[in-house]
Amino acid sequence: GVPPCAPLGQLRPHRQIGVALPAADVRLGLFDVLGRQVGLLVREHQAAGPHAVAFEPGPLPRGVYWLRLEARLAEGGAISDRRQVLLVR
């Protein structure tokens, strides 16, 4: 999952987002309320265990966004999760 971001959690610039998964090809994207991808935070193979991802929003306005995690597990199968977050400045 995406632990520090509970539903409608606050997401601030320079915040670390924690992800803990088995070994997997991981993709973590940020989407606006219309479903458009506005950021890609992770797109890589990650070893099993916890990882921290830096969040830098750039010019994104404050508001409601979705974090979407998709992971293709090395041993087969997949995990997906989606969390609503509020970008504050």
Side-chain angles (χ1 to χ4, degrees):
V2 186
C5 299
L8 207 57
Q10 288 190 353
L11 189 57
R12 296 180 184 278
H14 315 297
R15 167 122 187 226
Q16 296 286 315
I17 299 170
V19 178
L21 297 167
D25 291 325
V26 177
R27 183 180 176 100
L28 180 62
L30 185 67
F31 295 80
D32 67 14
V33 294
L34 298 176
R36 297 176 296 205
Q37 184 171 329
V38 295
L40 183 60
L41 306 173
V42 175
R43 184 178 181 182
E44 65 186 14
H45 180 82
Q46 292 186 340
H51 298 273
V53 178
F55 175 69
E56 297 296 336
L60 290 175
R62 63 185 185 181
V64 176
Y65 292 88
W66 289 91
L67 280 172
R68 186 165 68 194
L69 173 76
E70 298 169 340
R72 284 196 334 250
L73 305 178
E75 69 268 2
I79 295 173
S80 65
D81 194 11
R82 189 173 71 162
R83 303 286 173 106
Q84 190 177 44
V85 293
L86 178 63
L87 174 59
V88 294
R89 300 224 175 228

